[in-house]
Amino acid sequence: MSDEFQTVIQGLNERISVAKQHIVHCRWGDSAQEFRQLIADVAKCVPPSKEDQDGKAMLLKMLEEQLKMAQANDRLETEIAEQFKRQTGSPEPPADPDVWSKPSPPLQATKTTKKAGGRRREISVNSVSSINPTASAATNPHDEKDANQSQGILPPNEAGETFDASLFDANIIRAIRETMVLHTENKMSLNDVIGMGNVKQVLREAITLPFLAPDFFKGLRSPWKAMCLAGPPGNGKTLIAKAIASESACTFFAICSTDLCSKWRGDSEKLVRVLFQLARFYAPSIIFIDEIDTITGSRGNNGEHEASRRVKTELLWQMDGPTSDERRTFVLAATNLPWEIDEAMRRRFEKRIFVPLPDLEARKTLMMTSMDGTPLSDEIDYDDLAARTEGFSGADLVSLCRTAAYNVLRRFDTTELRGSELKAAIESLQREPVQIIDFEAALEAISPSVDADRVKTIKDWCDTFGAV
Ligand code: ATP
Ligand code: MG
């Protein structure tokens, strides 16, 4: 290849890697657009020699293949999303909007690599394959379509194996895929969760330490399989799940049980079964079931829906299911209503831990952390604020700090200002420290959201049935 043409190619390399980055992040549409533009630009260039003409032809062929793949995946994703929406009435995955970021979209083009220093699975685009899976079990056109769809949305596991999704309903696979967290955009760690030392300890014993010293965690000391967190709302139960999803090397499945019951009535037990199969396939895995009480109420209750009984039974069965050191799964559940949990289910949770309201020290730390990065007057006394916020949940304290920070704006009358004046005035307030009067006004406005009697009832349940 001549030096001249080589320079042209080098200029394109950066754009090619941008297009490939789009693929890594499953932004198929953006990637297709970039490849289309690249093809147009390469087509325009005139190679000076025969050798360069061959180089150009090869490059064009490669770009066209990539474009075809990106377009196919773009179509596939749209099709699956539409089909899913038609069947469920909602394209949204089960998620707590406050806490979970939108899960990563379906994946194609995958090869697994191990990240230095950690076992988290990363998806790379080095081998961009066609969307045709090797779904051997599909026998009729309908099944084949399902199989293709299912296969296309699941990445390989750590060993590079592909889950044979051809035997399952594409929508179930799709629904579970949407609960799977392979990458989290939020880089959180357990240290970001204030307090909850006993919960963190169990998570370490169940998840982190067995990787470091597998021989210690054998026999009687085999790692914990399931933990249930019980506590009043807004105190970090979902947050700690999010932190462990981000920090650990496990594949994470976040299931909201209300969605499981409502969206998937009739199919829910199948979903539970496939969920555990996938969790074992992608092991080590964590299955997080939020609001577990909604599906695990006492079986045989009057008025209990047959479908919900089947889901519970399947869940019990799966939690007792086969497990091995290689195929380890950990079930983490959360509830505000622990007494609603079926006795049989309760036994499956080896650890049942009370998540209390933050104590004095935790309240202080939580407020300090929340205010981090916001200009603050020296007069703020966190010890005093912590003493005055007994009964506040973690979420209440975050809300208090946000309100105090907003109150800076309310101290200044900007109602008469317009346009650039208003913009300049608000921008100058960025540097205005939050003062004690802002906190005083916030304390006036915000009361604890949690009922003390409710906290006591949860605590009493944990005192009776807890296992720390
Ligand atoms: P619910 O029972 O209503 O689902 P929850 O216990 O799951 O509540 P989260 O959603 O985890 O509560 O917490 C809500 C928000 O409150 C978090 O996003 C975070 O900002 C704050 N928060 C609560 N507890 C803590 C904590 N221990 N450490 C740090 N932040 C916290
Ligand atoms: Mg929650």
Side-chain angles (χ1 to χ4, degrees):
M1 197 182 284
S2 73
D3 287 351
E4 197 185 332
F5 194 59
Q6 182 94 44
T7 318
V8 175
I9 299 293
Q10 272 167 4
L12 294 173
N13 272 346
E14 205 172 308
R15 286 172 56 199
I16 293 175
S17 70
V18 169
K20 286 191 171 181
Q21 271 305 308
H22 287 317
I23 292 181
V24 173
H25 296 289
C26 303
R27 296 189 292 257
W28 307 112
D30 292 345
S31 163
Q33 198 176 350
E34 194 67 49
F35 280 122
R36 244 192 316 271
Q37 192 56 50
L38 276 161
I39 290 170
D41 293 348
V42 174
K44 270 188 245 152
C45 74
V46 186
S49 67
K50 165 84 179 73
E51 192 196 356
D52 290 340
Q53 275 170 16
D54 293 346
K56 174 181 164 179
M58 268 171 61
L59 180 61
L60 274 174
K61 192 160 173 258
M62 185 278 279
L63 291 172
E64 274 156 11
E65 271 172 17
Q66 301 269 330
L67 171 64
K68 247 195 321 213
M69 185 275 301
Q71 286 173 326
N73 278 305
D74 194 30
R75 272 196 307 275
L76 178 68
E77 195 176 310
T78 314
E79 205 179 289
I80 294 174
E82 276 169 7
Q83 190 183 353
F84 188 70
K85 192 174 174 185
R86 273 199 303 278
Q87 294 217 351
T88 64
S90 163
E92 288 305 315
D96 180 337
D98 276 350
V99 177
W100 300 102
S101 56
K102 228 174 143 43
S104 43
L107 292 157
Q108 180 66 36
T110 50
K111 209 178 191 177
T112 49
T113 55
K114 282 191 183 177
K115 203 177 174 185
R119 299 180 70 250
R120 176 169 282 287
R121 189 176 302 114
E122 293 289 341
I123 309 298
S124 97
V125 74
N126 294 340
S127 75
V128 178
S129 58
S130 108
I131 61 159
N132 264 336
T134 50
S136 53
T139 49
N140 68 45
H142 173 74
D143 287 344
E144 207 168 317
K145 192 167 175 232
D146 271 5
N148 286 350
Q149 290 183 346
S150 311
Q151 209 74 30
I153 59 180
L154 288 171
N157 68 7
E158 279 226 316
E161 304 153 345
T162 315
F163 186 81
D164 183 3
S166 59
L167 302 170
F168 305 99
D169 183 310
N171 286 306
I172 288 190
I173 297 286
R174 164 85 181 173
I176 298 172
R177 174 66 187 93
E178 290 196 326
T179 72
M180 258 170 93
V181 181
L182 284 162
H183 312 265
T184 42
E185 276 160 27
N186 322 285
K187 288 284 163 244
M188 274 197 74
S189 84
L190 288 178
N191 293 335
D192 295 319
V193 182
I194 291 150
M196 297 172 77
N198 45 6
V199 177
K200 289 179 194 170
Q201 177 64 19
V202 175
L203 289 174
R204 271 189 208 105
E205 290 165 4
I207 295 159
T208 326
L209 299 180
F211 284 129
L212 289 178
D215 289 341
F216 180 89
F217 292 91
K218 289 245 161 84
L220 189 61
R221 282 192 290 239
S222 63
W224 307 115
K225 280 166 52 180
M227 164 162 72
C228 178
L229 306 179
N235 285 294
K237 299 186 294 298
T238 307
L239 190 74
I240 203 160
K242 181 189 173 195
I244 195 77
S246 164
E247 186 178 290
S248 87
C250 298
T251 311
F252 198 87
F253 297 82
I255 300 285
C256 182
S257 43
T258 42
D259 280 306
L260 196 64
C261 288
S262 57
K263 270 190 197 164
W264 292 93
R265 244 205 217 294
D267 264 348
S268 298
E269 78 270 23
K270 274 192 223 153
L271 192 119
V272 170
R273 198 175 315 140
V274 182
L275 168 71
F276 276 79
Q277 283 186 21
L278 278 172
R280 285 183 202 113
F281 180 78
Y282 287 106
S285 307
I286 301 170
I287 298 175
F288 175 57
I289 309 178
D290 215 351
E291 300 164 30
I292 180 105
D293 48 276
T294 43
I295 41 170
T296 57
S298 297
R299 283 173 306 162
N301 271 354
N302 280 347
E304 185 191 40
H305 196 289
E306 168 63 17
S308 119
R309 196 188 58 76
R310 285 204 308 265
V311 175
K312 265 183 280 173
T313 309
E314 186 65 46
L315 196 54
L316 289 173
W317 180 254
Q318 290 298 336
M319 285 177 76
D320 277 346
T323 183
S324 63
D325 286 354
E326 295 75 41
R327 294 281 177 214
R328 207 138 31 79
T329 58
F330 180 74
V331 179
L332 175 63
T335 178
N336 297 324
L337 309 166
W339 49 88
E340 294 277 320
I341 297 176
D342 185 280
E343 215 175 293
M345 180 59 66
R346 191 167 70 218
R347 185 176 69 72
R348 287 344 183 252
F349 291 108
E350 301 152 301
K351 294 283 162 195
R352 302 177 288 274
I353 301 184
F354 179 54
V355 179
L357 291 171
D359 61 15
L360 188 79
E361 200 50 41
R363 293 199 295 276
K364 182 177 163 186
T365 316
L366 225 152
M367 283 188 277
M368 288 170 74
T369 318
S370 298
M371 295 308 291
D372 202 24
T374 309
L376 206 62
S377 144
D378 292 341
E379 61 183 346
I380 303 291
D381 179 352
Y382 283 116
D383 287 311
D384 178 56
L385 286 172
R388 294 168 66 189
T389 46
E390 189 168 358
F392 278 56
S393 69
D396 294 336
L397 292 167
V398 172
S399 175
L400 180 83
C401 292
R402 279 167 57 78
T403 307
Y406 261 97
N407 283 345
V408 169
L409 184 64
R410 296 191 182 180
R411 266 195 274 128
F412 297 86
D413 184 7
T414 51
T415 46
E416 298 299 312
L417 302 178
R418 295 285 176 276
S420 56
E421 267 185 347
L422 180 60
K423 184 171 181 282
I426 293 179
E427 277 175 0
S428 73
L429 289 181
Q430 267 177 21
R431 292 177 295 278
E432 174 67 26
V434 178
Q435 296 181 4
I436 193 69
I437 48 167
D438 299 317
F439 269 101
E440 293 294 350
L443 280 165
E444 286 280 306
I446 300 210
S447 316
S449 62
V450 180
D451 175 26
D453 289 345
R454 173 52 64 95
V455 180
K456 185 172 177 317
T457 320
I458 304 173
K459 170 135 186 10
D460 288 349
W461 183 91
C462 291
D463 287 344
T464 313
F465 296 112
V468 188

